[in-house]
Amino acid sequence: MSITTCAVAGATGRLGRHVVDVLTERGHQVVPMSRATGVDLVTGEGLAGALTGVDVIVDVASWHTSDQEAATEFFRASARNLHAYGQDAGVARITVASIIGVGRATAGFLAAKKAHEEYLLSGPLPVRVLRAAQFHEFVGQLLDWRQGDVAYIPALPSQLVACRTVAEDLTGLALDPGEIARGTPIPEIAGPRREILSEAAALLGARRNIKVVGVDGSGMPDAEIAAEGGFLPGPHARLAGPAFREWLGGLP
């Protein structure tokens, strides 16, 4: 196996930590990029040094709020800088994690991610995209966002997937030396079965002594699209476990 040097943008994030682990376990060299390591994707600070000698960029950096305008600006700047500094450094390609159904998004964070794909795909370096279902780990974040003692969680369908599972597919896509045939659908990764967000949250809430109430989600951007299954995996998606209940059972 040839050793590849991979720079991971967003290396300390929810998905980035798993990407770093998978790459390291497979014997590759990892350059973690985050503000904690002195790299700022928006200003470009530290990027030139971090990308020296790098073969592949894995972009799993994200914005910390759901505000569409702020997230879009972050993704625009990061895409521009990863292309510019990556091209100068001789990077072969960028591989990015995106979200299933993002092409249908009209508002909110998903719309910002849709723009993110467009910014990256319009740049000079080759770009590969993996679209993932919502993470198991996101359910805990929904509970953390609650106001008061009760968590009101949308009863919307998802095909929740573990971050580790996404990281394995993402690194495989990033390191695949073959060419992607023109017209190939954007690959998708999702969990093994459909879940309802509020039901998954109730399972986790029972462990945390948090009451969960399912709501229709009408206050969320594109809730109607979500309710109709617009953010569920397509027929070409790879489905992989663990399912949410099994994943939860493995937590300490």
Side-chain angles (χ1 to χ4, degrees), residues 9-81:
T12 57
R14 182 183 292 110
L15 178 57
R17 292 191 292 268
H18 289 279
V19 171
V20 169
D21 287 346
V22 172
L23 287 168
T24 302
E25 290 165 14
R26 295 181 181 179
H28 299 287
Q29 298 292 324
V30 179
V31 179
M33 298 196 303
S34 68
R35 280 176 293 184
T37 65
V39 178
D40 190 317
L41 297 179
V42 173
T43 65
E45 180 183 358
L47 264 176
L51 294 178
T52 300
V54 164
D55 302 304
V56 174
I57 296 170
V58 181
D59 183 8
V60 288
S62 192
W63 186 243
H64 53 79
T65 73
S66 59
D67 179 76
Q68 181 181 344
E69 184 176 352
T72 300
E73 184 51 42
F74 169 78
F75 289 132
R76 180 188 293 115
S78 67
R80 179 185 64 237
N81 284 329

Side-chain angles (χ1 to χ4, degrees), residues 3-15:
I3 296 175
T4 303
T5 301
C6 301
V8 179
T12 57
R14 182 183 292 110
L15 178 57

Side-chain angles (χ1 to χ4, degrees), residues 13-251:
R14 182 183 292 110
L15 178 57
R17 292 191 292 268
H18 289 279
V19 171
V20 169
D21 287 346
V22 172
L23 287 168
T24 302
E25 290 165 14
R26 295 181 181 179
H28 299 287
Q29 298 292 324
V30 179
V31 179
M33 298 196 303
S34 68
R35 280 176 293 184
T37 65
V39 178
D40 190 317
L41 297 179
V42 173
T43 65
E45 180 183 358
L47 264 176
L51 294 178
T52 300
V54 164
D55 302 304
V56 174
I57 296 170
V58 181
D59 183 8
V60 288
S62 192
W63 186 243
H64 53 79
T65 73
S66 59
D67 179 76
Q68 181 181 344
E69 184 176 352
T72 300
E73 184 51 42
F74 169 78
F75 289 132
R76 180 188 293 115
S78 67
R80 179 185 64 237
N81 284 329
L82 287 176
H83 272 291
Y85 287 93
Q87 189 175 36
D88 288 346
V91 169
R93 61 183 167 272
I94 300 170
T95 301
V96 63
S98 190
I99 302 169
I100 288 175
V102 75
R104 302 181 181 94
T106 65
F109 184 78
L110 285 180
K113 280 299 291 184
K114 178 182 179 180
H116 187 206
E117 282 191 16
E118 294 167 353
Y119 295 141
L120 281 172
L121 289 168
S122 64
L125 291 174
V127 172
R128 295 176 177 179
V129 178
L130 175 67
R131 290 177 176 170
Q134 194 55 262
F135 304 146
H136 290 332
E137 289 83 351
F138 175 66
V139 177
Q141 188 174 342
L142 287 175
L143 295 183
D144 292 339
W145 287 343
R146 75 187 186 281
Q147 301 291 325
D149 298 330
V150 179
Y152 295 92
I153 307 297
L156 295 174
S158 182
Q159 203 139 328
L160 295 162
V161 66
C163 274
R164 170 74 189 204
T165 302
V166 177
E168 290 171 351
D169 272 34
L170 188 65
T171 55
L173 180 65
L175 298 173
D176 185 347
E179 292 294 321
I180 306 298
R182 185 180 298 274
T184 300
I186 293 175
E188 296 179 353
I189 177 69
R193 61 174 175 263
R194 190 173 301 190
E195 318 255 11
I196 301 299
L197 277 178
S198 57
E199 294 174 2
L203 291 173
L204 181 57
R207 292 174 59 127
R208 296 187 179 180
N209 294 316
I210 297 171
K211 182 180 179 181
V212 172
V213 174
V215 295
D216 67 5
S218 59
M220 293 178 58
D222 291 333
E224 185 174 335
I225 296 173
E228 294 171 352
F231 301 118
L232 294 173
H236 69 284
R238 191 176 88 83
L239 307 183
F244 185 79
R245 186 182 293 270
E246 289 70 43
W247 173 83
L248 189 60
L251 293 181

